[in-house]
Structures are given as C-alpha cells and as structure tokens.
Amino acid sequence: MANQKQTQDPLNLDEAMSTSEAFIIKYKNKFLIGIAAIVIIVGGFIGYKNFISEPNEIKAAETLFKAEQYFGAGNYEAALNGDSLGTTGFLTVAQKFSGTDAGELANAYAGICYAQLGQYENAILYLDKFSADDQLISPAILGTMGNCYAQLGQLDKAAATLVKAASKANSHALSPIYLVQAGQIYEKLGKNSEAVKAYQTIKDKYFNSYQALDIDKYIERASIK
C-alpha cells in the first residue's frame, strides 16, 4: 500500500524498527511476576496493587499469558488473533478485559505484532492505547511508534515521537538510539539544525553511551549541509 511505503537511505528503518521491539523482548524477564503460581505476565510498570484480589485481573492475566507464548515464538498472527485450540489473541484480550492491567498490556503487544507484520497504521492505533509512566517499556513503545510513523513516510511525526521517547527514557541505553534515529530523519527532512541538536544531546548528556563514540561525525555531517 502506498501509505505503508518505506523511506530510503540514510535511514535503515527495518533495523531501527527492531530496536524498540527487541528491547521489550530481551528484557521481558525483568518484569515477569508470578500470579497464582502458574500465570506469568510482564509487570512492574503499571501497578498490581489489586491484582490478586480482583478475579477479573487474574483471568485476564491467565488469558494474556497464552498469547504471550505465541508472541515469544514469533507467531504474531496467532498472538494477535488466537488459534483454533482455544487460545485467545491479544486483540480479544484487549477488548474483553479493557480496563484491566492485562488488557492494557495486550494493546502494547498487539501494536508490536502489527508492526512486525508490516501493518503500521494498526500498530500505531494499538500502541497509542497503551499508557504507562515507567522509564523502560513506555519509551520503547514510543520508539516503536516513531519508527512506524517513519515507515508510513510521516517523518516529522516520526522524529518528534523518537525525541519524546528519548526524553522519557532518559537513559544511556535507550535515549541515544532514539536520538540518532531522530537525527537521521531530521537530516532527511533537511532540518539540519534539529539533527545537530539531537546529536549534540547525545554528546552532552549521554556521553558514556556506545552511540557517543562516533557522534562527532554525525554532528559534523549535519552541520556542513
């Protein structure tokens, strides 16, 4: 589809897209929490004060866990829509258990699944439904949204979202990744001063990051355009 065309160099958007999603998958175990000894769900960032006492929350978590297994195996269609064996997909969990923590998380999972399937508008729709105020998953969701906008050719919105993700993360691990992506997009748009600003932030604030090692060449490139 025309509205899902990929932009060209200097952006490696396939690689950039995977960065946010890979972060969530790689560090997923950091947020695992046991529910009734058999349920595992990504946790620790949207609050579980009433999880054990609320039967609907427990049921939602159990349902979500089955879809998570497909997600972890890379079977994004089944993770989204479920299977003929009775597994409920993220889309149904998000709708059926709207208002629960697991239902909220299902929106994030659904968005990532759509992104992996190349359905970027649907990805943004579901990622935007996810709401959390942590410094790990929330910035990664924003970063994925930014790269979805880039895949759709909405570069201004992509760069702004990536800068927002970097600010929200405020970490040497994630922020420089998003700032480099944003800077590259700004360069493509001819907004070189904005690109320099993004790169300079890495040099000034995230100087211990991997990206800072050769950030001077990015700054120089954007400065002389």
Side-chain angles (χ1 to χ4, degrees), residues 106-125:
N107 285 317
Y109 274 127
I112 295 171
C113 287
Y114 275 127
Q116 290 283 11
L117 294 169
Q119 300 181 38
Y120 303 115
E121 290 179 336
N122 284 332
I124 292 169
L125 178 66

Side-chain angles (χ1 to χ4, degrees), residues 65-219:
F65 174 58
K66 296 175 182 179
E68 282 185 312
Q69 292 179 309
Y70 276 125
F71 179 88
N75 189 341
Y76 301 113
E77 287 281 3
L80 270 173
N81 301 303
D83 60 25
S84 60
L85 302 177
T87 297
T88 303
F90 293 132
L91 295 179
T92 300
V93 175
Q95 181 179 22
K96 185 176 181 180
F97 297 102
S98 176
T100 67
D101 293 332
E104 176 97 352
L105 188 58
N107 285 317
Y109 274 127
I112 295 171
C113 287
Y114 275 127
Q116 290 283 11
L117 294 169
Q119 300 181 38
Y120 303 115
E121 290 179 336
N122 284 332
I124 292 169
L125 178 66
Y126 278 88
L127 292 170
D128 195 42
K129 292 180 180 181
F130 177 79
S131 177
D133 197 31
D134 66 292
Q135 287 186 292
L136 292 171
I137 300 299
S138 185
I141 292 296
L142 279 173
T144 302
M145 287 179 65
N147 284 291
C148 286
Y149 283 128
Q151 292 284 12
L152 292 168
Q154 300 178 32
L155 300 186
D156 279 304
K157 189 173 286 188
T161 303
L162 288 165
V163 169
K164 183 178 179 180
S167 177
K168 193 172 186 66
N170 193 26
S171 76
H172 280 74
L174 272 185
S175 299
I177 295 173
Y178 299 138
L179 289 169
V180 166
Q181 292 175 8
Q184 290 178 319
I185 293 174
Y186 279 131
E187 285 189 72
K188 190 171 182 66
L189 289 167
K191 296 184 176 181
N192 299 313
S193 63
E194 294 296 323
V196 170
K197 182 179 179 181
Y199 300 144
Q200 190 67 45
T201 300
I202 296 173
K203 183 173 182 176
D204 295 341
K205 192 172 182 179
Y206 305 110
F207 44 83
N208 287 328
S209 66
Y210 173 79
Q211 289 74 18
L213 293 176
D214 58 355
I215 199 63
D216 283 337
K217 73 179 184 181
Y218 288 87
I219 295 173

Side-chain angles (χ1 to χ4, degrees), residues 6-84:
Q6 295 187 8
T7 53
Q8 302 300 317
D9 290 338
L11 293 171
N12 186 341
L13 291 179
D14 287 333
E15 181 179 348
M17 262 287 295
S18 67
T19 302
S20 302
E21 296 147 15
F23 174 83
I24 291 176
I25 296 168
K26 179 178 179 181
Y27 292 100
K28 180 179 171 184
N29 288 338
K30 282 183 169 245
F31 310 112
L32 295 184
I33 183 169
I35 302 296
I38 59 171
V39 178
I40 300 176
I41 184 173
V42 177
F45 58 96
I46 48 178
Y48 288 91
K49 290 182 179 179
N50 300 314
F51 225 141
I52 302 302
S53 62
E54 293 289 340
N56 199 43
E57 289 282 11
I58 297 174
K59 178 62 176 177
E62 292 173 347
T63 306
L64 182 70
F65 174 58
K66 296 175 182 179
E68 282 185 312
Q69 292 179 309
Y70 276 125
F71 179 88
N75 189 341
Y76 301 113
E77 287 281 3
L80 270 173
N81 301 303
D83 60 25
S84 60

